[in-house]
Amino acid sequence: MESDSAFVAPEGVYSVTEEHKPLPVPIHSSTAAQPIYQTRLSSVTVRFPPKHSVSPGLAQFLGANLTKDLKKDKEKEREKEKEAVVKERPLLEERSMSSGSTPEDSFSSPDVVATPDLSAEPQQYKLFSHPSVSVGKKKSNISRPKHNMRTTSSTFITRLQSTEGLSKTLAAKQGDVTFLFYNTGKAFLWIEVGSKTKVRHLALGREPLTRISFSAYPTCHDVNPSTASSERLDVIIGFSTGDLVWFDPISSRYCRLNKQGTISASLCTAVRWVPSSPTLFLVSHADGTIIVYDKEREDGIFTATIPNGLTNTPHITINAHHASPVSDEWDPLSTIFVTPPPWHPEAIGKGEKGVVVKNPVSHWRLCRRGVVDFVFSPDNKYVAAISDDGCLRVIDPLAEQLVDCYASYFGSMTCVAWSPDGRFILTGGQDDLLTIFSPWEQRVVARCQGHSSFVSAVAFDELRCDGRTYRFGSVGEDNKLILWDFSSGALHRPKLLGAHHPRPSVSSSISLAHRRGTGSTIQLSAPRYHPAPSRNEVSTVQPVLVKQLDADLLTSLAFLPRALITASKAGHVRVWVRPLVMANPSPRRRHTRGTLSVTDFRGVVH
């Protein structure tokens, strides 16, 4: 069964069912661009309402007006969607508009994503929870992007191509539909996974639903699952110029933020929607910053504060665990540098009236080198960010504080993922290794050896993670697709961790949590910086499967309920269908231990 389009894993055979290859672009074309940035993947599953199959003749015979009935059903479905969105928002979050705004240009205050233990004091104004600026006005409908991409005169968008009859195709869909977005060169594509659309050419694969060409390189993107519906999709695209585009592919409408680098002209390295928030998202940049945006706000006049010595001191050496902190007032290994704008939620909470809220919501400087990627924890309480200085930083976004900083074994970290239950953080790096961190034990649990070049992407397979055994995958510049199974109870004990050197246990982590305090805003007494342990001190995990693919550099990997997806730097996307035994999206056991975080253990000791 082994071939370039199939491989055998312990659970069965994975095989390629569809491929999407980049279009050959003429050299003289203005949209021609070499894929110098990695291809990234974003996916979302949308549930389309069932279609009404009523015979028109029978409807006329019964005297019913079929058109009116269908309109009424659609209106009811829209009302249900609106009610669902409203229920997700706390009652304190009343949307308001500034005095000079229209419903389309209105600015919205962010949603609360904190858990009660982190926001127990009602008068504290946090980053993701602040009162409305004006009172007495209610938010009408959820706003949509202002501009029509099909009729725009902007030179930033050079071409828009959609499949023939796209509106009718979407209107005919019902049930769960999985959409995939990816970038290649200066193009951004929207496809449907498992669709029956026509094949353009045997060498090119299926036709995308939409293909957009820009004058700049799209480098990262994310789709908001909390607002996804059959009528709208909220996608944020980051570019090499620092520009951001809020795009709805269903209506082909868009809006630009950080236009021409108004707030930051540095390359966008990653973008993530704040979980369960319809408006807030975070963007990391190559200048070492993470910026918080609200899609419904306009760009404000903002200048970030530069820490002392940032431009005059050398960067941290690439082997971060051998580096000593520089003698500056700001130490990136122990704190993050926050520049709050005048309209920051805390400033508004202190009573500053008449401030028109704009972007950015907040500005964090993490390090002196570029931020590579970041992800939210499953409980939404923390952010794990990796950077070119070889560090993994765990951040409390509500308190805007650094919780922990871990050094890589060697070189820069290149990719990061959080386990579905929140117990582990997985990173890949230039040391050809995958490293498993336990944030609540504050240690490196294991390293995974199997790649012979830089690791490009890592991802957990949620369907095969049950709280005891964790399945994850990785791809690298060696063109290897590797699957791994990890179980902390079955780890091989390193030589240096014998009977006289036991591994840290849950009890030791609880005592550590006790020393660090119970609140996210309490000054942490324990060291935040953790050097990398040697190889002899850490257990090693071996691959379950190694698949050598015949393609250009692999850059992305994603697990879907029914498929595994890989992408190359040139934009070659492959969909590998799961074995039949795994086709059921409802796993047998799933995260039986629940989602864990440092806060859970703080509650145990008190």
Side-chain angles (χ1 to χ4, degrees):
M1 294 296 294
E2 288 285 345
S3 66
D4 188 50
S5 59
F7 62 85
V8 181
E11 62 271 17
V13 179
Y14 288 76
S15 58
V16 176
T17 55
E18 59 181 287
E19 293 185 83
H20 301 269
K21 298 182 180 180
L23 282 172
V25 182
I27 299 178
H28 58 79
S29 172
S30 60
T31 60
Q34 295 298 323
I36 60 177
Y37 297 103
Q38 290 188 352
T39 296
R40 300 290 185 90
L41 300 171
S42 297
S43 63
V44 66
T45 299
V46 178
R47 173 157 294 181
F48 283 78
K51 306 304 174 186
H52 300 270
S53 55
V54 181
S55 171
L58 180 60
Q60 292 176 2
F61 177 76
L62 296 176
N65 190 324
L66 181 61
T67 304
K68 290 184 178 180
D69 290 342
L70 292 177
K71 286 183 178 180
K72 289 181 180 178
D73 291 339
K74 287 184 178 180
E75 289 177 359
K76 290 180 180 179
E77 290 171 1
R78 290 176 183 174
E79 290 177 359
K80 289 181 180 180
E81 290 179 0
K82 291 178 182 177
E83 290 176 0
V85 173
V86 171
K87 287 180 181 179
E88 291 178 359
R89 302 175 185 173
L91 296 176
L92 295 177
E93 294 296 312
E94 284 290 337
R95 300 290 180 183
S96 64
M97 298 180 294
S98 60
S99 56
S101 300
T102 62
E104 187 179 12
D105 302 331
S106 59
F107 305 138
S108 301
S109 58
D111 283 335
V112 174
V113 299
T115 52
D117 60 317
L118 292 182
S119 58
E121 300 178 17
Q123 297 302 321
Q124 282 188 343
Y125 301 108
K126 298 295 185 179
L127 174 65
F128 302 131
S129 172
H130 63 82
S132 52
V133 179
S134 58
V135 182
K137 295 182 180 180
K138 291 185 178 181
K139 180 75 176 177
S140 54
N141 295 326
I142 298 177
S143 65
R144 299 200 177 192
K146 305 174 186 178
H147 310 293
N148 191 328
M149 190 171 285
R150 300 185 182 279
T151 59
T152 183
S153 58
S154 172
T155 57
F156 192 77
I157 300 167
T158 58
R159 191 175 185 186
L160 172 66
Q161 297 172 277
S162 296
T163 185
E164 185 179 353
L166 177 60
S167 300
K168 293 182 179 180
T169 302
L170 296 176
K173 295 189 178 301
Q174 55 184 338
D176 290 342
V177 178
T178 300
F179 293 122
L180 185 71
F181 301 89
Y182 68 97
N183 60 289
T184 173
K186 292 186 176 181
F188 181 76
L189 294 92
W190 173 33
I191 63 176
E192 178 189 348
V193 178
S195 67
K196 298 180 180 180
T197 55
K198 63 180 181 180
V199 177
R200 296 172 297 176
H201 191 276
L202 292 177
L204 298 178
R206 299 190 182 277
E207 182 179 2
L209 297 176
T210 297
R211 176 189 176 95
I212 312 168
S213 298
F214 297 94
S215 59
Y217 289 93
T219 55
C220 52
H221 44 86
D222 192 31
V223 56
N224 194 340
S226 65
T227 61
S229 69
S230 59
E231 297 182 349
R232 64 174 293 171
L233 292 173
D234 290 319
V235 182
I236 292 292
I237 311 172
F239 291 84
S240 57
T241 56
D243 290 76
L244 298 163
V245 168
W246 166 30
F247 173 54
D248 179 5
I250 294 180
S251 63
S252 297
R253 303 189 70 85
Y254 79 101
C255 180
R256 287 178 67 182
L257 298 93
N258 190 29
K259 189 174 181 180
Q260 298 177 348
T262 303
I263 298 170
S264 175
S266 179
L267 178 143
C268 299
T269 57
V271 57
R272 297 279 187 273
W273 287 96
V274 174
S276 73
S277 173
T279 61
L280 288 178
F281 61 94
L282 274 60
V283 182
S284 62
H285 292 271
D287 61 356
T289 62
I290 290 182
I291 303 178
V292 187
Y293 287 89
D294 188 321
K295 69 177 177 63
E296 297 183 357
R297 297 185 184 183
E298 294 182 350
D299 296 338
I301 300 176
F302 173 79
T303 302
T305 304
I306 299 178
N308 292 337
L310 180 63
T311 57
N312 299 325
T313 56
H315 294 313
I316 299 173
T317 57
I318 197 67
N319 293 322
H321 55 289
H322 295 306
S324 59
V326 293
S327 57
D328 297 333
E329 293 183 8
W330 175 58
D331 177 13
L333 300 181
S334 60
T335 59
I336 63 174
F337 193 89
V338 181
T339 304
W343 46 83
H344 190 275
E346 288 190 357
I348 297 175
K350 291 177 181 178
E352 296 187 15
K353 305 297 183 180
V355 178
V356 179
V357 291
K358 294 187 177 182
N359 279 318
V361 178
S362 191
H363 182 283
W364 310 337
R365 186 172 294 278
L366 273 60
C367 55
R368 293 180 171 86
R369 306 191 68 173
V371 178
V372 177
D373 198 1
F374 68 94
V375 290
F376 279 91
S377 63
D379 59 6
N380 308 334
K381 295 179 182 178
Y382 301 99
V383 171
I386 57 173
S387 51
D388 283 331
D389 62 0
C391 288
L392 162 69
R393 290 173 172 84
V394 180
I395 301 168
D396 182 344
L398 297 177
E400 300 184 283
Q401 285 187 348
L402 179 67
V403 177
D404 282 299
C405 180
Y406 302 89
S408 67
Y409 180 75
F410 174 81
S412 171
M413 295 182 183
T414 55
C415 46
V416 62
W418 213 307
S419 66
D421 61 0
R423 292 175 61 88
F424 302 105
I425 299 175
L426 177 66
T427 65
Q430 295 178 348
D431 51 13
D432 306 346
L433 299 171
L434 276 70
T435 305
I436 304 173
F437 297 87
S438 174
W440 54 276
E441 291 184 19
Q442 297 178 302
R443 70 182 182 100
V444 175
V445 177
R447 293 191 178 106
C448 309
Q449 296 180 349
H451 284 284
S452 56
S453 187
F454 294 175
V455 182
S456 303
V458 292
F460 280 91
D461 185 354
E462 191 171 352
L463 293 185
R464 300 193 67 84
C465 295
D466 59 11
R468 294 183 179 180
T469 303
Y470 300 82
R471 162 65 62 84
F472 52 88
S474 61
V475 294
E477 294 186 2
D478 52 6
N479 283 2
K480 290 179 182 177
L481 165 63
I482 302 183
L483 299 182
W484 316 77
D485 281 342
F486 164 72
S487 176
S488 57
L491 285 177
H492 173 70
R493 179 171 295 183
K495 296 179 181 179
L496 296 184
L497 292 179
H500 300 289
H501 298 83
R503 291 179 295 174
S505 62
V506 174
S507 59
S508 65
S509 67
I510 292 177
S511 63
L512 179 60
H514 178 73
R515 293 201 309 269
R516 295 168 67 98
T518 58
S520 61
T521 59
I522 293 179
Q523 185 68 26
L524 305 180
S525 57
R528 294 184 178 92
Y529 180 71
H530 309 281
S534 66
R535 289 205 176 194
N536 294 332
E537 300 176 38
V538 179
S539 301
T540 302
V541 177
Q542 298 298 329
V544 171
L545 175 135
V546 179
K547 174 65 176 178
Q548 187 76 44
L549 297 181
D550 183 17
D552 58 316
L553 296 180
L554 294 173
T555 60
S556 292
L557 170 72
F559 287 97
L560 300 182
R562 298 183 181 275
L564 162 67
I565 300 180
T566 59
S568 69
K569 190 173 183 178
H572 184 185
V573 177
R574 289 180 175 181
V575 179
W576 307 74
V577 67
R578 289 180 183 269
L580 293 178
V581 69
M582 289 299 299
N584 184 4
S586 300
R588 180 182 56 191
R589 296 179 63 227
R590 192 164 170 180
H591 320 319
T592 55
R593 297 187 182 184
T595 301
L596 298 178
S597 68
V598 177
T599 310
D600 298 322
F601 289 92
R602 291 171 182 162
V604 172
V605 297
H606 293 279

